[in-house]
Amino acid sequence: MGKFIITKRTNNEYQFNLKAANGQVILTSEGYNAKASCNKGIESVKNNASTDSRYDRKVAKNGSYYFNLKAGNGEIIGTSQMYTTEDARNRGIESVKVNAPNAEVIDETL
């Protein structure tokens, strides 16, 4: 089962990473000023992860593949790592769909 890990950046913003069962990071959030906002971001990922149309499939300038997960309002709630192939990116999306909805939340800022 996947896990959301809440951490604090060096600039004191909160962020979360969604990790797959194998421990690999599959989605990273933006920075949040408040922990409550970070937790709302996690809930948004859980609620939107299973909807395929919420994934914006992208290609970076260097040719790497990645995706953004968007909320219903179009705001980006998480960004993937870079992948070397389109197929690997698609497997990353499937991993978010499987892992996010029931993922445990671990707060490492306590």
Tab-separated table of all heavy atoms in Angstrom, residues 51-90:
chain	number	residue	atom	x	y	z
A	51	THR	N	-9.533	9.401	-11.428
A	51	THR	CA	-10.124	10.003	-12.627
A	51	THR	C	-9.046	10.280	-13.665
A	51	THR	O	-8.219	11.180	-13.501
A	51	THR	CB	-10.852	11.321	-12.261
A	51	THR	OG1	-11.783	11.054	-11.217
A	51	THR	CG2	-11.570	11.897	-13.466
A	52	ASP	N	-9.049	9.507	-14.749
A	52	ASP	CA	-7.986	9.589	-15.742
A	52	ASP	C	-7.861	10.981	-16.364
A	52	ASP	O	-6.754	11.438	-16.653
A	52	ASP	CB	-8.191	8.544	-16.836
A	52	ASP	CG	-6.977	8.422	-17.732
A	52	ASP	OD1	-5.930	7.944	-17.250
A	52	ASP	OD2	-7.061	8.836	-18.907
A	53	SER	N	-8.972	11.678	-16.533
A	53	SER	CA	-8.927	13.000	-17.170
A	53	SER	C	-8.234	14.055	-16.317
A	53	SER	O	-7.914	15.143	-16.796
A	53	SER	CB	-10.341	13.474	-17.518
A	53	SER	OG	-11.107	13.618	-16.339
A	54	ARG	N	-7.948	13.749	-15.058
A	54	ARG	CA	-7.259	14.686	-14.171
A	54	ARG	C	-5.733	14.655	-14.366
A	54	ARG	O	-5.026	15.472	-13.809
A	54	ARG	CB	-7.562	14.363	-12.704
A	54	ARG	CG	-9.000	14.448	-12.319
A	54	ARG	CD	-9.401	15.876	-12.018
A	54	ARG	NE	-10.660	15.908	-11.308
A	54	ARG	CZ	-11.820	16.221	-11.863
A	54	ARG	NH1	-11.869	16.521	-13.139
A	54	ARG	NH2	-12.921	16.238	-11.154
A	55	TYR	N	-5.248	13.715	-15.174
A	55	TYR	CA	-3.810	13.594	-15.416
A	55	TYR	C	-3.433	14.350	-16.688
A	55	TYR	O	-3.968	14.088	-17.759
A	55	TYR	CB	-3.395	12.126	-15.533
A	55	TYR	CG	-3.543	11.384	-14.229
A	55	TYR	CD1	-4.738	10.763	-13.899
A	55	TYR	CD2	-2.501	11.340	-13.311
A	55	TYR	CE1	-4.885	10.104	-12.699
A	55	TYR	CE2	-2.641	10.684	-12.109
A	55	TYR	CZ	-3.841	10.065	-11.808
A	55	TYR	OH	-3.983	9.428	-10.608
A	56	ASP	N	-2.523	15.284	-16.551
A	56	ASP	CA	-2.015	16.058	-17.670
A	56	ASP	C	-0.665	15.457	-18.037
A	56	ASP	O	0.324	15.634	-17.317
A	56	ASP	CB	-1.889	17.527	-17.236
A	56	ASP	CG	-1.661	18.461	-18.398
A	56	ASP	OD1	-1.739	18.015	-19.562
A	56	ASP	OD2	-1.390	19.653	-18.137
A	57	ARG	N	-0.640	14.734	-19.141
A	57	ARG	CA	0.571	14.038	-19.585
A	57	ARG	C	1.455	15.015	-20.356
A	57	ARG	O	1.012	15.610	-21.326
A	57	ARG	CB	0.169	12.840	-20.435
A	57	ARG	CG	-0.561	11.772	-19.628
A	57	ARG	CD	-1.453	10.904	-20.512
A	57	ARG	NE	-2.020	9.785	-19.783
A	57	ARG	CZ	-3.168	9.819	-19.121
A	57	ARG	NH1	-3.878	10.938	-19.058
A	57	ARG	NH2	-3.620	8.750	-18.495
A	58	LYS	N	2.721	15.144	-19.924
A	58	LYS	CA	3.610	16.172	-20.452
A	58	LYS	C	4.929	15.573	-20.922
A	58	LYS	O	5.308	14.480	-20.508
A	58	LYS	CB	3.936	17.192	-19.351
A	58	LYS	CG	2.727	17.825	-18.695
A	58	LYS	CD	2.087	18.828	-19.586
A	58	LYS	CE	2.044	20.181	-18.942
A	58	LYS	NZ	1.573	21.203	-19.859
A	59	VAL	N	5.632	16.363	-21.739
A	59	VAL	CA	6.996	16.050	-22.154
A	59	VAL	C	7.848	17.282	-21.832
A	59	VAL	O	7.517	18.397	-22.248
A	59	VAL	CB	7.092	15.720	-23.657
A	59	VAL	CG1	8.528	15.418	-24.055
A	59	VAL	CG2	6.176	14.551	-24.013
A	60	ALA	N	8.916	17.084	-21.085
A	60	ALA	CA	9.810	18.176	-20.701
A	60	ALA	C	10.675	18.589	-21.892
A	60	ALA	O	10.791	17.859	-22.879
A	60	ALA	CB	10.694	17.736	-19.530
A	61	LYS	N	11.293	19.746	-21.773
A	61	LYS	CA	12.157	20.259	-22.843
A	61	LYS	C	13.298	19.304	-23.171
A	61	LYS	O	13.768	19.246	-24.306
A	61	LYS	CB	12.725	21.620	-22.457
A	61	LYS	CG	11.691	22.718	-22.487
A	61	LYS	CD	12.278	24.048	-22.087
A	61	LYS	CE	11.191	25.113	-22.061
A	61	LYS	NZ	11.685	26.397	-21.579
A	62	ASN	N	13.731	18.518	-22.169
A	62	ASN	CA	14.841	17.583	-22.399
A	62	ASN	C	14.366	16.239	-22.951
A	62	ASN	O	15.151	15.313	-23.092
A	62	ASN	CB	15.647	17.376	-21.120
A	62	ASN	CG	14.882	16.632	-20.039
A	62	ASN	OD1	13.722	16.240	-20.223
A	62	ASN	ND2	15.516	16.442	-18.899
A	63	GLY	N	13.058	16.116	-23.226
A	63	GLY	CA	12.517	14.888	-23.795
A	63	GLY	C	12.023	13.885	-22.775
A	63	GLY	O	11.492	12.838	-23.146
A	64	SER	N	12.181	14.181	-21.484
A	64	SER	CA	11.674	13.290	-20.440
A	64	SER	C	10.156	13.426	-20.348
A	64	SER	O	9.581	14.455	-20.696
A	64	SER	CB	12.282	13.643	-19.088
A	64	SER	OG	13.670	13.418	-19.096
A	65	TYR	N	9.527	12.378	-19.863
A	65	TYR	CA	8.078	12.343	-19.719
A	65	TYR	C	7.712	12.519	-18.251
A	65	TYR	O	8.414	12.024	-17.375
A	65	TYR	CB	7.529	11.007	-20.223
A	65	TYR	CG	7.769	10.786	-21.692
A	65	TYR	CD1	8.969	10.245	-22.160
A	65	TYR	CD2	6.799	11.122	-22.629
A	65	TYR	CE1	9.201	10.056	-23.508
A	65	TYR	CE2	7.014	10.927	-23.989
A	65	TYR	CZ	8.210	10.395	-24.416
A	65	TYR	OH	8.431	10.206	-25.751
A	66	TYR	N	6.608	13.229	-17.998
A	66	TYR	CA	6.104	13.385	-16.643
A	66	TYR	C	4.619	13.699	-16.704
A	66	TYR	O	4.049	13.840	-17.798
A	66	TYR	CB	6.872	14.472	-15.879
A	66	TYR	CG	6.607	15.889	-16.336
A	66	TYR	CD1	5.759	16.724	-15.608
A	66	TYR	CD2	7.215	16.413	-17.475
A	66	TYR	CE1	5.523	18.032	-16.021
A	66	TYR	CE2	6.991	17.714	-17.876
A	66	TYR	CZ	6.141	18.526	-17.153
A	66	TYR	OH	5.904	19.805	-17.546
A	67	PHE	N	3.984	13.790	-15.542
A	67	PHE	CA	2.572	14.153	-15.503
A	67	PHE	C	2.286	15.029	-14.300
A	67	PHE	O	3.013	15.021	-13.310
A	67	PHE	CB	1.671	12.909	-15.473
A	67	PHE	CG	1.848	12.024	-14.275
A	67	PHE	CD1	1.139	12.246	-13.099
A	67	PHE	CD2	2.716	10.948	-14.317
A	67	PHE	CE1	1.308	11.431	-12.000
A	67	PHE	CE2	2.890	10.118	-13.222
A	67	PHE	CZ	2.176	10.366	-12.052
A	68	ASN	N	1.214	15.806	-14.453
A	68	ASN	CA	0.657	16.572	-13.346
A	68	ASN	C	-0.720	16.006	-13.045
A	68	ASN	O	-1.467	15.680	-13.970
A	68	ASN	CB	0.501	18.059	-13.716
A	68	ASN	CG	1.825	18.762	-13.859
A	68	ASN	OD1	2.723	18.558	-13.057
A	68	ASN	ND2	1.957	19.590	-14.874
A	69	LEU	N	-1.042	15.899	-11.775
A	69	LEU	CA	-2.389	15.534	-11.357
A	69	LEU	C	-3.086	16.827	-10.977
A	69	LEU	O	-2.561	17.615	-10.183
A	69	LEU	CB	-2.354	14.568	-10.167
A	69	LEU	CG	-3.710	14.200	-9.565
A	69	LEU	CD1	-4.625	13.537	-10.601
A	69	LEU	CD2	-3.524	13.291	-8.361
A	70	LYS	N	-4.265	17.053	-11.554
A	70	LYS	CA	-4.993	18.297	-11.316
A	70	LYS	C	-6.297	18.022	-10.574
A	70	LYS	O	-6.916	16.977	-10.750
A	70	LYS	CB	-5.303	18.987	-12.637
A	70	LYS	CG	-4.053	19.469	-13.364
A	70	LYS	CD	-4.417	20.251	-14.600
A	70	LYS	CE	-3.182	20.856	-15.232
A	70	LYS	NZ	-3.539	21.695	-16.389
A	71	ALA	N	-6.688	19.006	-9.783
A	71	ALA	CA	-7.979	18.957	-9.094
A	71	ALA	C	-9.075	19.346	-10.090
A	71	ALA	O	-8.796	19.771	-11.218
A	71	ALA	CB	-7.967	19.923	-7.910
A	72	GLY	N	-10.310	19.231	-9.670
A	72	GLY	CA	-11.439	19.578	-10.522
A	72	GLY	C	-11.410	21.012	-11.013
A	72	GLY	O	-11.936	21.325	-12.078
A	73	ASN	N	-10.789	21.902	-10.238
A	73	ASN	CA	-10.707	23.316	-10.624
A	73	ASN	C	-9.513	23.611	-11.538
A	73	ASN	O	-9.261	24.766	-11.879
A	73	ASN	CB	-10.643	24.208	-9.379
A	73	ASN	CG	-9.400	23.990	-8.544
A	73	ASN	OD1	-8.511	23.219	-8.896
A	73	ASN	ND2	-9.332	24.656	-7.408
A	74	GLY	N	-8.758	22.575	-11.916
A	74	GLY	CA	-7.629	22.744	-12.812
A	74	GLY	C	-6.304	23.024	-12.135
A	74	GLY	O	-5.267	23.067	-12.791
A	75	GLU	N	-6.311	23.205	-10.815
A	75	GLU	CA	-5.068	23.460	-10.073
A	75	GLU	C	-4.232	22.181	-9.996
A	75	GLU	O	-4.754	21.099	-9.744
A	75	GLU	CB	-5.377	23.932	-8.654
A	75	GLU	CG	-5.975	25.314	-8.578
A	75	GLU	CD	-4.983	26.407	-8.903
A	75	GLU	OE1	-3.836	26.347	-8.422
A	75	GLU	OE2	-5.362	27.321	-9.658
A	76	ILE	N	-2.924	22.320	-10.176
A	76	ILE	CA	-2.014	21.176	-10.050
A	76	ILE	C	-1.873	20.816	-8.574
A	76	ILE	O	-1.571	21.673	-7.751
A	76	ILE	CB	-0.638	21.490	-10.656
A	76	ILE	CG1	-0.765	21.708	-12.162
A	76	ILE	CG2	0.367	20.369	-10.361
A	76	ILE	CD1	0.505	22.221	-12.823
A	77	ILE	N	-2.122	19.554	-8.245
A	77	ILE	CA	-1.996	19.100	-6.851
A	77	ILE	C	-0.811	18.165	-6.656
A	77	ILE	O	-0.458	17.848	-5.533
A	77	ILE	CB	-3.300	18.461	-6.333
A	77	ILE	CG1	-3.841	17.410	-7.303
A	77	ILE	CG2	-4.332	19.544	-6.065
A	77	ILE	CD1	-5.110	16.721	-6.861
A	78	GLY	N	-0.189	17.755	-7.743
A	78	GLY	CA	0.990	16.917	-7.632
A	78	GLY	C	1.659	16.737	-8.976
A	78	GLY	O	1.002	16.782	-10.017
A	79	THR	N	2.978	16.559	-8.936
A	79	THR	CA	3.776	16.373	-10.141
A	79	THR	C	4.616	15.115	-9.964
A	79	THR	O	5.147	14.853	-8.884
A	79	THR	CB	4.692	17.597	-10.373
A	79	THR	OG1	3.862	18.758	-10.516
A	79	THR	CG2	5.545	17.431	-11.618
A	80	SER	N	4.736	14.371	-11.047
A	80	SER	CA	5.511	13.124	-11.000
A	80	SER	C	6.992	13.396	-11.129
A	80	SER	O	7.422	14.506	-11.417
A	80	SER	CB	5.077	12.203	-12.144
A	80	SER	OG	5.575	12.689	-13.385
A	81	GLN	N	7.758	12.326	-10.968
A	81	GLN	CA	9.175	12.347	-11.300
A	81	GLN	C	9.285	12.347	-12.825
A	81	GLN	O	8.284	12.247	-13.528
A	81	GLN	CB	9.853	11.113	-10.728
A	81	GLN	CG	9.345	9.810	-11.345
A	81	GLN	CD	10.014	8.593	-10.760
A	81	GLN	OE1	10.645	8.634	-9.742
A	81	GLN	NE2	9.866	7.470	-11.430
A	82	MET	N	10.490	12.449	-13.330
A	82	MET	CA	10.731	12.365	-14.775
A	82	MET	C	10.926	10.897	-15.161
A	82	MET	O	11.571	10.135	-14.446
A	82	MET	CB	11.966	13.166	-15.167
A	82	MET	CG	11.800	14.648	-14.973
A	82	MET	SD	10.573	15.312	-16.115
A	82	MET	CE	10.470	16.988	-15.520
A	83	TYR	N	10.361	10.546	-16.302
A	83	TYR	CA	10.457	9.188	-16.824
A	83	TYR	C	11.156	9.221	-18.184
A	83	TYR	O	11.034	10.198	-18.920
A	83	TYR	CB	9.062	8.577	-16.995
A	83	TYR	CG	8.304	8.404	-15.703
A	83	TYR	CD1	7.382	9.358	-15.291
A	83	TYR	CD2	8.494	7.292	-14.903
A	83	TYR	CE1	6.677	9.210	-14.108
A	83	TYR	CE2	7.792	7.126	-13.717
A	83	TYR	CZ	6.890	8.090	-13.327
A	83	TYR	OH	6.191	7.932	-12.162
A	84	THR	N	11.840	8.132	-18.529
A	84	THR	CA	12.573	8.088	-19.792
A	84	THR	C	11.685	7.715	-20.974
A	84	THR	O	12.036	8.007	-22.111
A	84	THR	CB	13.749	7.095	-19.715
A	84	THR	OG1	13.239	5.813	-19.335
A	84	THR	CG2	14.788	7.562	-18.714
A	85	THR	N	10.543	7.075	-20.700
A	85	THR	CA	9.648	6.676	-21.794
A	85	THR	C	8.199	7.028	-21.461
A	85	THR	O	7.828	7.191	-20.296
A	85	THR	CB	9.711	5.153	-22.051
A	85	THR	OG1	9.184	4.465	-20.917
A	85	THR	CG2	11.134	4.681	-22.339
A	86	GLU	N	7.412	7.124	-22.506
A	86	GLU	CA	5.981	7.386	-22.345
A	86	GLU	C	5.319	6.238	-21.582
A	86	GLU	O	4.451	6.458	-20.735
A	86	GLU	CB	5.350	7.556	-23.724
A	86	GLU	CG	3.906	7.980	-23.699
A	86	GLU	CD	3.361	8.236	-25.094
A	86	GLU	OE1	4.094	8.086	-26.093
A	86	GLU	OE2	2.171	8.591	-25.172
A	87	ASP	N	5.734	5.022	-21.867
A	87	ASP	CA	5.173	3.855	-21.198
A	87	ASP	C	5.458	3.887	-19.698
A	87	ASP	O	4.591	3.572	-18.886
A	87	ASP	CB	5.739	2.570	-21.829
A	87	ASP	CG	5.029	1.329	-21.319
A	87	ASP	OD1	3.780	1.303	-21.350
A	87	ASP	OD2	5.728	0.395	-20.883
A	88	ALA	N	6.674	4.283	-19.327
A	88	ALA	CA	7.021	4.378	-17.905
A	88	ALA	C	6.161	5.439	-17.219
A	88	ALA	O	5.693	5.241	-16.094
A	88	ALA	CB	8.507	4.694	-17.742
A	89	ARG	N	5.937	6.563	-17.909
A	89	ARG	CA	5.059	7.604	-17.348
A	89	ARG	C	3.654	7.056	-17.136
A	89	ARG	O	3.034	7.287	-16.098
A	89	ARG	CB	5.011	8.817	-18.278
A	89	ARG	CG	4.049	9.890	-17.763
A	89	ARG	CD	3.782	10.985	-18.769
A	89	ARG	NE	3.170	10.445	-19.968
A	89	ARG	CZ	3.177	11.063	-21.149
A	89	ARG	NH1	3.776	12.228	-21.281
A	89	ARG	NH2	2.593	10.518	-22.180
A	90	ASN	N	3.145	6.308	-18.094
A	90	ASN	CA	1.803	5.744	-17.968
A	90	ASN	C	1.717	4.756	-16.813
A	90	ASN	O	0.698	4.691	-16.116
A	90	ASN	CB	1.365	5.109	-19.285
A	90	ASN	CG	1.162	6.147	-20.373
A	90	ASN	OD1	0.953	7.331	-20.091
A	90	ASN	ND2	1.233	5.721	-21.619
